[in-house]
Amino acid sequence: MTPGVKGNQCMELSNNNVIPLLPRATVHLEFKDVTCSVNTFDISKFRFDKKTILKGVNGCFKPGELTAIMGPSGAGKTTLLNILAGYSTKGAKGEITVNGVCTCASQSTGRGGARYIRQNDDLRVHLTVYESMSLAAALKLADFKFHERKEKVYEMLALLGLSGTSRTLCRDLSGGQKRRLAVALELLSDPSLLFLDEPTTGLDSSSSTSLIALLSGLARGGRTLVATIHQPSALMFEKIDTIYCLAAGNALYSGPREDLVPALNIAGLRCPPYHNPADFLMEVASGEYGTAIESIANSIQQYKPESARNWEENVPVISSFSRSLSIDTELKDKQLSSNMKYQKKYSKNIYRPSGYLKQTWILLYRNYLMTTRNYSLFMYRVAAHVVIALIFGYLYLGVGSEASSVLGNYVYLYGSMLLVVYTGKMSVTLSFPLEMA
Ligand SMILES: Nc1ncnc2c1ncn2[C@@H]1O[C@H](COP(=O)(O)OP(=O)(O)OP(=O)(O)O)[C@@H](O)[C@H]1O
């Protein structure tokens, strides 16, 4: 029996129609004086040097907003995201406050149930979209009944415009669809805080824009979304609420998108007309305008916007946002109400994952599916065993029916032990780091 996977049905929605599902709680994340240093070995001097990647950055990410962490290559964007998400906190110092609860940046827990979508899609290429989703749902949503999990999976697929690809193998998805599936997998447990590392890398401009529109829609529901974005187009830039720009480990600008150009003006940097402000910011951060980053950052801090934004006033309420979307109202209402129903029914805040035994069973089943569908690997394994059997046969040739040759017995025992131990161990040793990723 397939755990968590049964049947198939589709609810169709076009790609860019996003229903802003409400998260279960809102998350306000603030960080103060975050630094990160690593020790690097300098071969020419034969000694360890300390490299400072982040030099005491501050900032705050609010619910209902999509924040883009921008900056030139090597500025420290991924490092900051890793620390904030609690994914990799080695060498980090500083304070991270989530909804008023302060934790040390070097701690990897206490980030309000944050989910992190890394740059490389960690999808199982031999599973279909529906299988990936339903197996993930079976792992993450232990308290849900089978039909409820199924409903939630279809709801997420429809939400992210993946209904039409539910039977497609993950390896056959386009780059944009893979990113959307990665988001859908994380949305199953309704996270309030979502980090994405370079979600648009490798996508064409239209897929990138539609992905950013989707993230912006999810943020509108009250989530806190933070994504590193290299160089957004003007269209993508319009959909971002807040910009956090890093340059050589320092925060250059942190604030609403619409205040970026006036703030740079204050620092004496005029964005040329018809120039994408995002490109201009990157040029400034790369040092193309000659001024020291610290002095620009200091000047920018002098800028006081006329209307300090209050997200609670400005974030559109769910009904007004959904009115602006051209989607089937009946379907939208049905999905919203099912989402609310689950949120009310299950837990105060956290969906409970499956128990150890159930997880083992689900993962075994997933492994079985992947192994049997990976024909070439399967055939290589069969061929390897045939070749090894021939070698053994040859080595054992002439030993006779009494097995009286000491060397023959030794070769047989030693060889069969190696085969049994290593063929079993190697697959685990190789796949463990991949599965952990
Ligand atoms: N473990 C480490 N050891 C040594 N240097 C590191 C380590 N991790 C990051 N760095 C260095 O820190 C700097 C910032 O890295 P990071 O990956 O955060 O940059 P980024 O802004 O995300 O760059 P990109 O946009 O190219 O991905 C880089 O110069 C990188 O080489």
Side-chain angles (χ1 to χ4, degrees):
M1 226 270 301
T2 313
V5 186
K6 209 177 173 187
N8 207 345
Q9 64 185 105
C10 288
M11 293 195 293
E12 293 301 332
L13 270 181
S14 72
N15 276 1
N16 295 332
N17 289 336
V18 181
I19 303 160
L21 295 180
L22 289 166
R24 279 163 293 144
T26 51
V27 171
H28 189 110
L29 184 136
E30 214 172 328
F31 52 100
K32 227 164 134 188
D33 204 20
V34 171
T35 58
C36 181
S37 314
V38 287
N39 286 323
T40 53
F41 189 70
D42 187 337
I43 293 181
S44 60
K45 295 176 189 157
F46 205 71
R47 63 160 200 227
F48 281 98
D49 285 333
K50 198 169 186 178
K51 181 174 180 179
T52 306
I53 304 173
L54 294 174
K55 301 169 184 164
V57 294
N58 304 304
C60 138
F61 302 142
K62 298 171 190 167
E65 291 186 350
L66 169 62
T67 302
I69 301 184
M70 292 172 59
S73 188
K77 303 181 294 292
T78 304
T79 307
L80 178 63
L81 205 71
N82 284 344
I83 294 171
L84 294 179
Y87 178 70
S88 166
T89 55
K90 202 173 162 204
K93 282 188 187 144
E95 277 178 15
I96 298 176
T97 309
V98 177
N99 287 344
V101 180
C102 183
T103 51
C104 183
S106 57
Q107 261 176 264
S108 56
T109 51
R111 310 283 204 265
R115 291 285 182 275
Y116 187 20
I117 299 174
R118 300 187 318 145
Q119 197 174 346
N120 304 321
D121 307 302
D122 300 316
L123 302 174
R124 303 293 177 281
V125 290
H126 297 290
L127 297 182
T128 65
V129 168
Y130 179 76
E131 283 166 348
S132 303
M133 286 290 286
S134 50
L135 287 169
L139 286 170
K140 291 180 182 190
L141 310 172
D143 295 328
F144 279 51
K145 294 193 179 70
F146 176 79
H147 72 274
E148 291 172 337
R149 279 207 305 270
K150 195 168 154 185
E151 191 180 6
K152 192 152 177 73
V153 165
Y154 281 124
E155 179 185 288
M156 287 303 149
L157 291 179
L159 173 70
L160 299 194
L162 288 169
S163 298
T165 58
S166 61
R167 289 168 192 234
T168 310
L169 287 178
C170 291
R171 68 165 178 222
D172 297 330
L173 294 176
S174 70
Q177 287 169 335
K178 283 182 181 162
R179 296 286 151 82
R180 278 185 277 153
L181 178 58
V183 175
L185 287 166
E186 293 305 335
L187 283 182
L188 277 171
S189 50
D190 278 347
S192 305
L193 177 58
L194 196 59
F195 293 98
L196 300 102
D197 191 15
E198 307 208 1
T200 55
T201 301
L203 301 185
D204 60 41
S205 72
S206 133
S207 308
S208 300
T209 310
S210 89
L211 184 71
I212 295 297
L214 177 123
L215 297 179
S216 168
L218 292 171
R220 284 292 175 279
R223 289 188 173 78
T224 310
L225 261 86
V226 185
T228 57
I229 299 176
H230 242 287
Q231 201 142 11
S233 66
L235 210 57
M236 278 160 71
F237 193 64
E238 282 296 303
K239 299 187 188 316
I240 295 166
D241 303 299
T242 311
I243 306 292
Y244 192 89
C245 181
L246 283 171
N250 294 296
L252 176 67
Y253 175 80
S254 167
R257 170 186 43 83
E258 57 267 33
D259 291 342
L260 173 68
V261 174
L264 287 172
N265 269 343
I266 296 282
L269 297 159
R270 277 186 195 286
C271 178
Y274 309 114
H275 204 70
N276 177 4
D279 292 342
F280 184 63
L281 180 64
M282 291 296 281
E283 287 158 14
V284 171
S286 308
E288 284 182 28
Y289 289 84
T291 326
I293 299 295
E294 283 87 352
S295 78
I296 301 174
N298 286 339
S299 309
I300 285 176
Q301 277 174 8
Q302 310 303 319
Y303 176 73
K304 293 274 178 285
E306 280 170 21
S307 56
R309 288 202 322 168
N310 177 354
W311 80 269
E312 277 166 359
E313 283 168 15
N314 287 328
V315 170
V317 286
I318 201 153
S319 54
S320 67
F321 180 73
S322 53
R323 264 203 302 277
S324 68
L325 295 166
S326 53
I327 48 179
D328 175 354
T329 317
E330 206 178 302
L331 182 57
K332 174 197 73 189
D333 290 344
K334 193 176 152 207
Q335 290 177 359
L336 282 175
S337 63
S338 80
N339 185 57
M340 304 262 217
K341 180 182 77 187
Y342 294 143
Q343 287 181 3
K344 267 191 198 149
K345 185 171 173 187
Y346 291 106
S347 75
K348 290 282 168 251
N349 255 326
I350 295 169
Y351 292 154
R352 197 173 58 86
S354 305
Y356 181 73
L357 276 179
K358 194 169 177 202
Q359 280 187 23
T360 311
W361 161 235
I362 295 167
L363 292 176
L364 272 176
Y365 176 74
R366 190 179 77 177
N367 211 38
Y368 162 77
L369 282 181
M370 292 192 303
T371 310
T372 49
R373 284 177 193 172
N374 192 353
Y375 298 115
S376 50
L377 180 67
F378 188 67
M379 291 318 290
Y380 285 137
R381 281 182 178 164
V382 171
H385 278 79
V386 169
V387 170
I388 288 167
L390 289 175
I391 294 172
F392 267 55
Y394 176 73
L395 289 172
Y396 213 51
L397 199 70
V399 161
S401 53
E402 292 172 7
S404 53
S405 157
V406 175
L407 185 64
N409 292 343
Y410 173 77
V411 169
Y412 173 73
L413 285 174
Y414 186 67
S416 47
M417 218 161 71
L418 274 186
L419 179 71
V420 171
V421 173
Y422 284 99
T423 47
K425 255 189 187 174
M426 277 315 275
S427 57
V428 177
T429 316
L430 294 177
S431 60
F432 197 75
L434 298 174
E435 294 292 325
M436 286 290 286

